[in-house]
Amino acid sequence: MSSVQAFIALRSLRRALLGFAFACVAGAAGAQAASALPQWKGEGAVRYVCGGIGSDESNAMRAAMKEHPLALLFARADGAYLADVQVEIKGADGAPSLALRANGPVCLVDLPAGRYTVDAAMAGGGAKSQAVTVGGGSKTASFRF
C-alpha cells in the first residue's frame, strides 16, 4: 500500500469513527430529552403530559411538541409562563373529550383527528377558548392571560 493510499484509508477511518461518535452523542441526547418528560396520563388515543418547569423539562417538552397532534402553551400577557390552568377539550359535538389541570406551561395532547374546542381557565379568574383542528401535523394553541 502506498503512502497516499494509507493516508486515504486513515482519513476514511477517522471520518467513520467521528460519524459513529456523533450518532452516539445524538442518540444519548434524544434519550435524555425523552426521559426529561413528565409521566403521560390517560390511555389509548387520548393521553396527555403537562410540564415545562425547569430548563431540562422545558427543553424536552418543546422538543417533543412537533411529535404530537396538539400542544398547549400557557403564559401571562407579558410572556411569563403559567401553570395551574384548568383545561377542558370538547369534541365537535360538544361532548367532553378530556379534562385536565395543567401543572406546567406546556401540555402535549394526543387526540384522534378532528375539530375540538379548548377551554382554559385560570384559578384566579380569566378564561379563554380556542377552536383547533387536529390531524395532518402538529397544532399549537397558545393561551395568554
Side-chain angles (χ1 to χ4, degrees):
M1 181 183 292
S2 73
S3 61
V4 171
Q5 289 173 325
F7 175 76
I8 292 171
L10 184 59
R11 191 169 72 185
S12 295
L13 178 61
R14 183 174 157 208
R15 283 184 182 161
L17 288 173
L18 285 173
F20 178 72
F22 178 75
C24 289
V25 169
Q32 183 179 7
S35 69
L37 288 177
Q39 185 170 346
W40 283 86
K41 297 177 182 174
E43 56 187 54
V46 180
R47 64 187 196 127
Y48 70 94
V49 62
C50 295
I53 306 295
S55 63
D56 288 345
E57 191 175 281
S58 178
N59 290 337
M61 294 290 288
R62 289 189 165 278
M65 285 173 65
K66 62 182 175 255
E67 300 169 12
H68 299 279
L70 181 61
L72 306 175
L73 297 174
F74 306 104
R76 293 191 323 216
D78 64 7
Y81 288 132
L82 286 174
D84 198 27
V85 177
Q86 185 63 40
V87 178
E88 186 173 4
I89 301 174
K90 299 174 196 162
D93 60 359
S97 296
L98 180 64
L100 62 101
R101 178 160 296 282
N103 60 354
V106 180
C107 291
L108 306 176
V109 184
D110 290 348
L111 291 166
R115 295 185 53 81
Y116 297 91
T117 300
V118 181
D119 297 320
M122 290 295 304
K128 303 277 182 170
S129 185
Q130 276 191 51
V132 296
T133 301
V134 173
S138 182
K139 168 73 177 165
T140 300
S142 296
F143 294 86
R144 292 198 179 238
F145 295 91

mmCIF file of all heavy atoms in Angstrom, residues 4-58:
data_model
loop_
_atom_site.group_PDB
_atom_site.id
_atom_site.type_symbol
_atom_site.label_atom_id
_atom_site.label_comp_id
_atom_site.label_asym_id
_atom_site.label_seq_id
_atom_site.Cartn_x
_atom_site.Cartn_y
_atom_site.Cartn_z
ATOM 1 N N VAL A 4 0.027 7.309 -0.079
ATOM 2 C CA VAL A 4 -1.183 8.041 -0.433
ATOM 3 C C VAL A 4 -2.411 7.190 -0.109
ATOM 4 O O VAL A 4 -3.386 7.666 0.469
ATOM 5 C CB VAL A 4 -1.168 8.443 -1.925
ATOM 6 C CG1 VAL A 4 -2.504 9.016 -2.354
ATOM 7 C CG2 VAL A 4 -0.049 9.436 -2.194
ATOM 8 N N GLN A 5 -2.355 5.896 -0.452
ATOM 9 C CA GLN A 5 -3.470 5.002 -0.162
ATOM 10 C C GLN A 5 -3.663 4.851 1.349
ATOM 11 O O GLN A 5 -4.785 4.811 1.847
ATOM 12 C CB GLN A 5 -3.234 3.631 -0.803
ATOM 13 C CG GLN A 5 -3.355 3.654 -2.305
ATOM 14 C CD GLN A 5 -2.938 2.323 -2.915
ATOM 15 O OE1 GLN A 5 -2.027 1.653 -2.412
ATOM 16 N NE2 GLN A 5 -3.597 1.955 -4.000
ATOM 17 N N ALA A 6 -2.565 4.765 2.079
ATOM 18 C CA ALA A 6 -2.641 4.648 3.534
ATOM 19 C C ALA A 6 -3.263 5.913 4.134
ATOM 20 O O ALA A 6 -4.089 5.850 5.060
ATOM 21 C CB ALA A 6 -1.256 4.401 4.124
ATOM 22 N N PHE A 7 -2.879 7.062 3.613
ATOM 23 C CA PHE A 7 -3.429 8.329 4.101
ATOM 24 C C PHE A 7 -4.941 8.387 3.851
ATOM 25 O O PHE A 7 -5.713 8.762 4.726
ATOM 26 C CB PHE A 7 -2.727 9.504 3.410
ATOM 27 C CG PHE A 7 -3.318 10.834 3.773
ATOM 28 C CD1 PHE A 7 -3.053 11.422 4.997
ATOM 29 C CD2 PHE A 7 -4.153 11.496 2.879
ATOM 30 C CE1 PHE A 7 -3.606 12.637 5.330
ATOM 31 C CE2 PHE A 7 -4.712 12.714 3.206
ATOM 32 C CZ PHE A 7 -4.434 13.295 4.444
ATOM 33 N N ILE A 8 -5.381 7.985 2.653
ATOM 34 C CA ILE A 8 -6.805 7.996 2.306
ATOM 35 C C ILE A 8 -7.571 7.016 3.192
ATOM 36 O O ILE A 8 -8.649 7.323 3.704
ATOM 37 C CB ILE A 8 -6.999 7.689 0.809
ATOM 38 C CG1 ILE A 8 -6.465 8.848 -0.035
ATOM 39 C CG2 ILE A 8 -8.466 7.417 0.495
ATOM 40 C CD1 ILE A 8 -6.415 8.574 -1.521
ATOM 41 N N ALA A 9 -7.013 5.834 3.416
ATOM 42 C CA ALA A 9 -7.668 4.839 4.277
ATOM 43 C C ALA A 9 -7.781 5.347 5.707
ATOM 44 O O ALA A 9 -8.817 5.192 6.367
ATOM 45 C CB ALA A 9 -6.903 3.520 4.236
ATOM 46 N N LEU A 10 -6.742 5.987 6.213
ATOM 47 C CA LEU A 10 -6.747 6.526 7.566
ATOM 48 C C LEU A 10 -7.774 7.656 7.691
ATOM 49 O O LEU A 10 -8.514 7.737 8.675
ATOM 50 C CB LEU A 10 -5.346 7.036 7.938
ATOM 51 C CG LEU A 10 -5.168 7.532 9.361
ATOM 52 C CD1 LEU A 10 -5.492 6.444 10.357
ATOM 53 C CD2 LEU A 10 -3.741 8.004 9.568
ATOM 54 N N ARG A 11 -7.838 8.495 6.682
ATOM 55 C CA ARG A 11 -8.803 9.596 6.696
ATOM 56 C C ARG A 11 -10.234 9.053 6.659
ATOM 57 O O ARG A 11 -11.113 9.547 7.370
ATOM 58 C CB ARG A 11 -8.548 10.522 5.516
ATOM 59 C CG ARG A 11 -9.336 11.821 5.618
ATOM 60 C CD ARG A 11 -8.917 12.835 4.618
ATOM 61 N NE ARG A 11 -9.391 12.409 3.298
ATOM 62 C CZ ARG A 11 -9.114 13.038 2.171
ATOM 63 N NH1 ARG A 11 -8.342 14.095 2.180
ATOM 64 N NH2 ARG A 11 -9.589 12.617 1.040
ATOM 65 N N SER A 12 -10.474 8.025 5.878
ATOM 66 C CA SER A 12 -11.805 7.423 5.818
ATOM 67 C C SER A 12 -12.186 6.798 7.156
ATOM 68 O O SER A 12 -13.319 6.923 7.617
ATOM 69 C CB SER A 12 -11.868 6.357 4.722
ATOM 70 O OG SER A 12 -11.699 6.952 3.464
ATOM 71 N N LEU A 13 -11.244 6.125 7.794
ATOM 72 C CA LEU A 13 -11.485 5.518 9.103
ATOM 73 C C LEU A 13 -11.800 6.601 10.134
ATOM 74 O O LEU A 13 -12.714 6.464 10.942
ATOM 75 C CB LEU A 13 -10.270 4.690 9.543
ATOM 76 C CG LEU A 13 -10.382 4.030 10.919
ATOM 77 C CD1 LEU A 13 -11.550 3.056 10.952
ATOM 78 C CD2 LEU A 13 -9.091 3.327 11.271
ATOM 79 N N ARG A 14 -11.067 7.688 10.090
ATOM 80 C CA ARG A 14 -11.288 8.787 11.029
ATOM 81 C C ARG A 14 -12.687 9.372 10.850
ATOM 82 O O ARG A 14 -13.387 9.634 11.825
ATOM 83 C CB ARG A 14 -10.225 9.854 10.817
ATOM 84 C CG ARG A 14 -10.334 10.992 11.774
ATOM 85 C CD ARG A 14 -9.178 11.943 11.604
ATOM 86 N NE ARG A 14 -9.575 13.237 12.111
ATOM 87 C CZ ARG A 14 -9.115 14.375 11.701
ATOM 88 N NH1 ARG A 14 -8.204 14.409 10.757
ATOM 89 N NH2 ARG A 14 -9.530 15.499 12.211
ATOM 90 N N ARG A 15 -13.097 9.579 9.616
ATOM 91 C CA ARG A 15 -14.443 10.104 9.350
ATOM 92 C C ARG A 15 -15.511 9.137 9.860
ATOM 93 O O ARG A 15 -16.516 9.557 10.430
ATOM 94 C CB ARG A 15 -14.638 10.351 7.856
ATOM 95 C CG ARG A 15 -13.957 11.591 7.370
ATOM 96 C CD ARG A 15 -14.267 11.848 5.919
ATOM 97 N NE ARG A 15 -13.553 13.020 5.455
ATOM 98 C CZ ARG A 15 -13.328 13.286 4.202
ATOM 99 N NH1 ARG A 15 -13.757 12.468 3.254
ATOM 100 N NH2 ARG A 15 -12.677 14.371 3.861
ATOM 101 N N ALA A 16 -15.314 7.854 9.648
ATOM 102 C CA ALA A 16 -16.286 6.859 10.106
ATOM 103 C C ALA A 16 -16.390 6.872 11.625
ATOM 104 O O ALA A 16 -17.489 6.814 12.188
ATOM 105 C CB ALA A 16 -15.906 5.471 9.612
ATOM 106 N N LEU A 17 -15.253 6.964 12.310
ATOM 107 C CA LEU A 17 -15.261 6.991 13.778
ATOM 108 C C LEU A 17 -15.932 8.265 14.302
ATOM 109 O O LEU A 17 -16.689 8.212 15.275
ATOM 110 C CB LEU A 17 -13.844 6.863 14.332
ATOM 111 C CG LEU A 17 -13.206 5.480 14.184
ATOM 112 C CD1 LEU A 17 -11.749 5.521 14.615
ATOM 113 C CD2 LEU A 17 -13.975 4.450 14.985
ATOM 114 N N LEU A 18 -15.652 9.398 13.660
ATOM 115 C CA LEU A 18 -16.297 10.643 14.070
ATOM 116 C C LEU A 18 -17.808 10.575 13.845
ATOM 117 O O LEU A 18 -18.587 11.045 14.679
ATOM 118 C CB LEU A 18 -15.697 11.832 13.317
ATOM 119 C CG LEU A 18 -14.319 12.286 13.783
ATOM 120 C CD1 LEU A 18 -13.773 13.358 12.847
ATOM 121 C CD2 LEU A 18 -14.372 12.797 15.212
ATOM 122 N N GLY A 19 -18.237 10.006 12.739
ATOM 123 C CA GLY A 19 -19.667 9.845 12.462
ATOM 124 C C GLY A 19 -20.333 8.953 13.489
ATOM 125 O O GLY A 19 -21.426 9.244 13.977
ATOM 126 N N PHE A 20 -19.671 7.865 13.861
ATOM 127 C CA PHE A 20 -20.203 6.958 14.876
ATOM 128 C C PHE A 20 -20.309 7.663 16.226
ATOM 129 O O PHE A 20 -21.318 7.559 16.924
ATOM 130 C CB PHE A 20 -19.306 5.720 14.989
ATOM 131 C CG PHE A 20 -19.763 4.756 16.043
ATOM 132 C CD1 PHE A 20 -20.897 3.984 15.864
ATOM 133 C CD2 PHE A 20 -19.056 4.630 17.229
ATOM 134 C CE1 PHE A 20 -21.317 3.106 16.842
ATOM 135 C CE2 PHE A 20 -19.461 3.754 18.211
ATOM 136 C CZ PHE A 20 -20.596 2.987 18.019
ATOM 137 N N ALA A 21 -19.275 8.409 16.592
ATOM 138 C CA ALA A 21 -19.289 9.129 17.868
ATOM 139 C C ALA A 21 -20.412 10.155 17.887
ATOM 140 O O ALA A 21 -21.122 10.301 18.881
ATOM 141 C CB ALA A 21 -17.943 9.800 18.109
ATOM 142 N N PHE A 22 -20.603 10.878 16.785
ATOM 143 C CA PHE A 22 -21.677 11.859 16.709
ATOM 144 C C PHE A 22 -23.033 11.187 16.855
ATOM 145 O O PHE A 22 -23.907 11.677 17.562
ATOM 146 C CB PHE A 22 -21.599 12.639 15.392
ATOM 147 C CG PHE A 22 -22.700 13.636 15.232
ATOM 148 C CD1 PHE A 22 -22.672 14.820 15.954
ATOM 149 C CD2 PHE A 22 -23.771 13.391 14.397
ATOM 150 C CE1 PHE A 22 -23.697 15.746 15.825
ATOM 151 C CE2 PHE A 22 -24.796 14.304 14.270
ATOM 152 C CZ PHE A 22 -24.761 15.482 14.979
ATOM 153 N N ALA A 23 -23.238 10.063 16.187
ATOM 154 C CA ALA A 23 -24.504 9.340 16.278
ATOM 155 C C ALA A 23 -24.780 8.887 17.710
ATOM 156 O O ALA A 23 -25.907 8.954 18.192
ATOM 157 C CB ALA A 23 -24.504 8.140 15.330
ATOM 158 N N CYS A 24 -23.756 8.443 18.415
ATOM 159 C CA CYS A 24 -23.923 8.017 19.806
ATOM 160 C C CYS A 24 -24.328 9.188 20.694
ATOM 161 O O CYS A 24 -25.220 9.074 21.523
ATOM 162 C CB CYS A 24 -22.639 7.377 20.336
ATOM 163 S SG CYS A 24 -22.299 5.775 19.608
ATOM 164 N N VAL A 25 -23.673 10.324 20.513
ATOM 165 C CA VAL A 25 -23.992 11.507 21.315
ATOM 166 C C VAL A 25 -25.404 11.983 21.007
ATOM 167 O O VAL A 25 -26.171 12.306 21.907
ATOM 168 C CB VAL A 25 -22.957 12.628 21.073
ATOM 169 C CG1 VAL A 25 -23.408 13.941 21.675
ATOM 170 C CG2 VAL A 25 -21.611 12.220 21.635
ATOM 171 N N ALA A 26 -25.785 12.014 19.735
ATOM 172 C CA ALA A 26 -27.127 12.461 19.354
ATOM 173 C C ALA A 26 -28.184 11.522 19.917
ATOM 174 O O ALA A 26 -29.226 11.965 20.413
ATOM 175 C CB ALA A 26 -27.243 12.552 17.836
ATOM 176 N N GLY A 27 -27.952 10.233 19.868
ATOM 177 C CA GLY A 27 -28.891 9.262 20.427
ATOM 178 C C GLY A 27 -29.035 9.417 21.924
ATOM 179 O O GLY A 27 -30.128 9.360 22.469
ATOM 180 N N ALA A 28 -27.934 9.642 22.611
ATOM 181 C CA ALA A 28 -27.978 9.835 24.058
ATOM 182 C C ALA A 28 -28.725 11.114 24.406
ATOM 183 O O ALA A 28 -29.500 11.153 25.358
ATOM 184 C CB ALA A 28 -26.563 9.878 24.628
ATOM 185 N N ALA A 29 -28.527 12.177 23.626
ATOM 186 C CA ALA A 29 -29.227 13.434 23.883
ATOM 187 C C ALA A 29 -30.726 13.265 23.672
ATOM 188 O O ALA A 29 -31.533 13.773 24.448
ATOM 189 C CB ALA A 29 -28.684 14.544 22.992
ATOM 190 N N GLY A 30 -31.114 12.536 22.630
ATOM 191 C CA GLY A 30 -32.533 12.284 22.383
ATOM 192 C C GLY A 30 -33.157 11.455 23.488
ATOM 193 O O GLY A 30 -34.267 11.726 23.935
ATOM 194 N N ALA A 31 -32.458 10.454 23.962
ATOM 195 C CA ALA A 31 -32.960 9.629 25.054
ATOM 196 C C ALA A 31 -33.070 10.447 26.330
ATOM 197 O O ALA A 31 -34.019 10.307 27.097
ATOM 198 C CB ALA A 31 -32.049 8.424 25.266
ATOM 199 N N GLN A 32 -32.104 11.320 26.564
ATOM 200 C CA GLN A 32 -32.131 12.165 27.755
ATOM 201 C C GLN A 32 -33.318 13.123 27.687
ATOM 202 O O GLN A 32 -34.000 13.340 28.679
ATOM 203 C CB GLN A 32 -30.836 12.946 27.897
ATOM 204 C CG GLN A 32 -30.787 13.795 29.150
ATOM 205 C CD GLN A 32 -29.473 14.544 29.283
ATOM 206 O OE1 GLN A 32 -28.644 14.532 28.384
ATOM 207 N NE2 GLN A 32 -29.294 15.190 30.408
ATOM 208 N N ALA A 33 -33.585 13.704 26.514
ATOM 209 C CA ALA A 33 -34.711 14.617 26.372
ATOM 210 C C ALA A 33 -36.022 13.889 26.626
ATOM 211 O O ALA A 33 -36.912 14.401 27.296
ATOM 212 C CB ALA A 33 -34.715 15.263 24.987
ATOM 213 N N ALA A 34 -36.160 12.671 26.088
ATOM 214 C CA ALA A 34 -37.378 11.897 26.297
ATOM 215 C C ALA A 34 -37.550 11.544 27.767
ATOM 216 O O ALA A 34 -38.658 11.543 28.287
ATOM 217 C CB ALA A 34 -37.354 10.635 25.438
ATOM 218 N N SER A 35 -36.468 11.251 28.463
ATOM 219 C CA SER A 35 -36.568 10.892 29.872
ATOM 220 C C SER A 35 -36.856 12.106 30.734
ATOM 221 O O SER A 35 -37.287 11.970 31.870
ATOM 222 C CB SER A 35 -35.292 10.190 30.337
ATOM 223 O OG SER A 35 -34.211 11.098 30.369
ATOM 224 N N ALA A 36 -36.638 13.313 30.224
ATOM 225 C CA ALA A 36 -36.906 14.528 30.984
ATOM 226 C C ALA A 36 -38.390 14.888 30.969
ATOM 227 O O ALA A 36 -38.807 15.771 31.700
ATOM 228 C CB ALA A 36 -36.077 15.688 30.438
ATOM 229 N N LEU A 37 -39.190 14.209 30.140
ATOM 230 C CA LEU A 37 -40.624 14.469 30.105
ATOM 231 C C LEU A 37 -41.288 13.888 31.351
ATOM 232 O O LEU A 37 -40.939 12.803 31.794
ATOM 233 C CB LEU A 37 -41.265 13.822 28.873
ATOM 234 C CG LEU A 37 -40.997 14.441 27.518
ATOM 235 C CD1 LEU A 37 -41.645 13.610 26.427
ATOM 236 C CD2 LEU A 37 -41.508 15.863 27.466
ATOM 237 N N PRO A 38 -42.280 14.598 31.891
ATOM 238 C CA PRO A 38 -43.061 14.013 32.988
ATOM 239 C C PRO A 38 -43.831 12.785 32.487
ATOM 240 O O PRO A 38 -43.900 12.536 31.281
ATOM 241 C CB PRO A 38 -44.024 15.138 33.371
ATOM 242 C CG PRO A 38 -43.457 16.374 32.774
ATOM 243 C CD PRO A 38 -42.675 15.947 31.579
ATOM 244 N N GLN A 39 -44.460 12.081 33.380
ATOM 245 C CA GLN A 39 -45.194 10.862 33.025
ATOM 246 C C GLN A 39 -46.498 11.199 32.307
ATOM 247 O O GLN A 39 -47.219 12.120 32.686
ATOM 248 C CB GLN A 39 -45.501 10.056 34.282
ATOM 249 C CG GLN A 39 -46.143 8.726 33.977
ATOM 250 C CD GLN A 39 -46.219 7.846 35.207
ATOM 251 O OE1 GLN A 39 -45.578 8.112 36.206
ATOM 252 N NE2 GLN A 39 -47.008 6.808 35.121
ATOM 253 N N TRP A 40 -46.800 10.432 31.251
ATOM 254 C CA TRP A 40 -48.025 10.594 30.489
ATOM 255 C C TRP A 40 -49.211 10.148 31.326
ATOM 256 O O TRP A 40 -49.105 9.225 32.132
ATOM 257 C CB TRP A 40 -47.968 9.782 29.202
ATOM 258 C CG TRP A 40 -47.129 10.429 28.160
ATOM 259 C CD1 TRP A 40 -45.778 10.314 28.005
ATOM 260 C CD2 TRP A 40 -47.561 11.309 27.133
ATOM 261 N NE1 TRP A 40 -45.357 11.073 26.944
ATOM 262 C CE2 TRP A 40 -46.435 11.690 26.389
ATOM 263 C CE3 TRP A 40 -48.804 11.814 26.774
ATOM 264 C CZ2 TRP A 40 -46.515 12.556 25.311
ATOM 265 C CZ3 TRP A 40 -48.885 12.668 25.693
ATOM 266 C CH2 TRP A 40 -47.748 13.033 24.978
ATOM 267 N N LYS A 41 -50.383 10.784 31.099
ATOM 268 C CA LYS A 41 -51.633 10.413 31.757
ATOM 269 C C LYS A 41 -52.660 10.094 30.685
ATOM 270 O O LYS A 41 -52.564 10.577 29.567
ATOM 271 C CB LYS A 41 -52.122 11.550 32.645
ATOM 272 C CG LYS A 41 -51.148 11.853 33.772
ATOM 273 C CD LYS A 41 -51.601 13.010 34.602
ATOM 274 C CE LYS A 41 -50.552 13.265 35.672
ATOM 275 N NZ LYS A 41 -50.810 14.452 36.441
ATOM 276 N N GLY A 42 -53.649 9.318 31.028
ATOM 277 C CA GLY A 42 -54.656 8.901 30.067
ATOM 278 C C GLY A 42 -54.227 7.601 29.425
ATOM 279 O O GLY A 42 -53.208 7.005 29.793
ATOM 280 N N GLU A 43 -55.017 7.152 28.473
ATOM 281 C CA GLU A 43 -54.684 5.904 27.800
ATOM 282 C C GLU A 43 -55.301 5.866 26.414
ATOM 283 O O GLU A 43 -56.211 6.637 26.113
ATOM 284 C CB GLU A 43 -55.147 4.701 28.626
ATOM 285 C CG GLU A 43 -56.614 4.704 28.956
ATOM 286 C CD GLU A 43 -56.989 3.584 29.907
ATOM 287 O OE1 GLU A 43 -56.374 3.463 30.975
ATOM 288 O OE2 GLU A 43 -57.898 2.828 29.555
ATOM 289 N N GLY A 44 -54.795 4.973 25.607
ATOM 290 C CA GLY A 44 -55.316 4.813 24.258
ATOM 291 C C GLY A 44 -55.067 6.031 23.396
ATOM 292 O O GLY A 44 -54.006 6.636 23.435
ATOM 293 N N ALA A 45 -56.105 6.431 22.660
ATOM 294 C CA ALA A 45 -55.973 7.530 21.707
ATOM 295 C C ALA A 45 -56.005 8.896 22.383
ATOM 296 O O ALA A 45 -55.679 9.895 21.761
ATOM 297 C CB ALA A 45 -57.087 7.449 20.665
ATOM 298 N N VAL A 46 -56.417 8.956 23.656
ATOM 299 C CA VAL A 46 -56.489 10.233 24.369
ATOM 300 C C VAL A 46 -55.557 10.171 25.573
ATOM 301 O O VAL A 46 -55.803 9.461 26.545
ATOM 302 C CB VAL A 46 -57.932 10.541 24.828
ATOM 303 C CG1 VAL A 46 -57.983 11.865 25.573
ATOM 304 C CG2 VAL A 46 -58.876 10.564 23.640
ATOM 305 N N ARG A 47 -54.456 10.893 25.471
ATOM 306 C CA ARG A 47 -53.497 10.960 26.572
ATOM 307 C C ARG A 47 -52.799 12.309 26.535
ATOM 308 O O ARG A 47 -52.839 13.001 25.514
ATOM 309 C CB ARG A 47 -52.493 9.802 26.521
ATOM 310 C CG ARG A 47 -51.618 9.813 25.316
ATOM 311 C CD ARG A 47 -50.764 8.551 25.215
ATOM 312 N NE ARG A 47 -49.701 8.799 24.259
ATOM 313 C CZ ARG A 47 -48.414 8.629 24.481
ATOM 314 N NH1 ARG A 47 -48.013 8.150 25.635
ATOM 315 N NH2 ARG A 47 -47.523 8.899 23.570
ATOM 316 N N TYR A 48 -52.180 12.677 27.653
ATOM 317 C CA TYR A 48 -51.540 13.991 27.730
ATOM 318 C C TYR A 48 -50.408 13.971 28.736
ATOM 319 O O TYR A 48 -50.327 13.103 29.606
ATOM 320 C CB TYR A 48 -52.555 15.072 28.096
ATOM 321 C CG TYR A 48 -53.048 14.984 29.515
ATOM 322 C CD1 TYR A 48 -52.450 15.725 30.524
ATOM 323 C CD2 TYR A 48 -54.097 14.139 29.862
ATOM 324 C CE1 TYR A 48 -52.887 15.633 31.842
ATOM 325 C CE2 TYR A 48 -54.536 14.046 31.160
ATOM 326 C CZ TYR A 48 -53.935 14.790 32.154
ATOM 327 O OH TYR A 48 -54.354 14.700 33.449
ATOM 328 N N VAL A 49 -49.550 14.961 28.609
ATOM 329 C CA VAL A 49 -48.496 15.226 29.580
ATOM 330 C C VAL A 49 -48.343 16.741 29.654
ATOM 331 O O VAL A 49 -48.382 17.420 28.637
ATOM 332 C CB VAL A 49 -47.163 14.530 29.206
ATOM 333 C CG1 VAL A 49 -46.614 15.037 27.889
ATOM 334 C CG2 VAL A 49 -46.130 14.700 30.306
ATOM 335 N N CYS A 50 -48.234 17.256 30.877
ATOM 336 C CA CYS A 50 -48.043 18.692 31.079
ATOM 337 C C CYS A 50 -46.780 18.893 31.903
ATOM 338 O O CYS A 50 -46.461 18.088 32.775
ATOM 339 C CB CYS A 50 -49.224 19.321 31.811
ATOM 340 S SG CYS A 50 -50.764 19.263 30.885
ATOM 341 N N GLY A 51 -46.080 19.952 31.637
ATOM 342 C CA GLY A 51 -44.863 20.252 32.376
ATOM 343 C C GLY A 51 -44.180 21.463 31.780
ATOM 344 O O GLY A 51 -44.814 22.350 31.235
ATOM 345 N N GLY A 52 -42.871 21.445 31.885
ATOM 346 C CA GLY A 52 -42.088 22.554 31.372
ATOM 347 C C GLY A 52 -41.512 23.418 32.470
ATOM 348 O O GLY A 52 -41.074 24.536 32.222
ATOM 349 N N ILE A 53 -41.511 22.885 33.692
ATOM 350 C CA ILE A 53 -40.904 23.601 34.810
ATOM 351 C C ILE A 53 -39.436 23.180 34.868
ATOM 352 O O ILE A 53 -39.127 21.994 34.915
ATOM 353 C CB ILE A 53 -41.603 23.262 36.147
ATOM 354 C CG1 ILE A 53 -43.109 23.493 36.062
ATOM 355 C CG2 ILE A 53 -40.969 24.026 37.293
ATOM 356 C CD1 ILE A 53 -43.523 24.923 35.855
ATOM 357 N N GLY A 54 -38.539 24.109 34.863
ATOM 358 C CA GLY A 54 -37.108 23.813 34.836
ATOM 359 C C GLY A 54 -36.620 23.712 33.404
ATOM 360 O O GLY A 54 -37.376 23.370 32.490
ATOM 361 N N SER A 55 -35.356 24.013 33.204
ATOM 362 C CA SER A 55 -34.830 24.093 31.830
ATOM 363 C C SER A 55 -34.797 22.746 31.120
ATOM 364 O O SER A 55 -35.135 22.666 29.942
ATOM 365 C CB SER A 55 -33.445 24.744 31.821
ATOM 366 O OG SER A 55 -32.519 23.968 32.549
ATOM 367 N N ASP A 56 -34.417 21.656 31.800
ATOM 368 C CA ASP A 56 -34.371 20.346 31.140
ATOM 369 C C ASP A 56 -35.760 19.908 30.690
ATOM 370 O O ASP A 56 -35.956 19.479 29.549
ATOM 371 C CB ASP A 56 -33.774 19.282 32.063
ATOM 372 C CG ASP A 56 -32.278 19.445 32.266
ATOM 373 O OD1 ASP A 56 -31.648 20.197 31.491
ATOM 374 O OD2 ASP A 56 -31.738 18.824 33.202
ATOM 375 N N GLU A 57 -36.721 20.023 31.592
ATOM 376 C CA GLU A 57 -38.085 19.618 31.264
ATOM 377 C C GLU A 57 -38.676 20.522 30.192
ATOM 378 O O GLU A 57 -39.348 20.054 29.273
ATOM 379 C CB GLU A 57 -38.936 19.632 32.528
ATOM 380 C CG GLU A 57 -40.297 18.980 32.345
ATOM 381 C CD GLU A 57 -41.057 18.909 33.648
ATOM 382 O OE1 GLU A 57 -40.761 18.014 34.464
ATOM 383 O OE2 GLU A 57 -41.945 19.765 33.864
ATOM 384 N N SER A 58 -38.425 21.821 30.287
ATOM 385 C CA SER A 58 -38.925 22.760 29.290
ATOM 386 C C SER A 58 -38.354 22.445 27.911
ATOM 387 O O SER A 58 -39.087 22.414 26.915
ATOM 388 C CB SER A 58 -38.565 24.195 29.693
ATOM 389 O OG SER A 58 -39.011 25.107 28.718
#
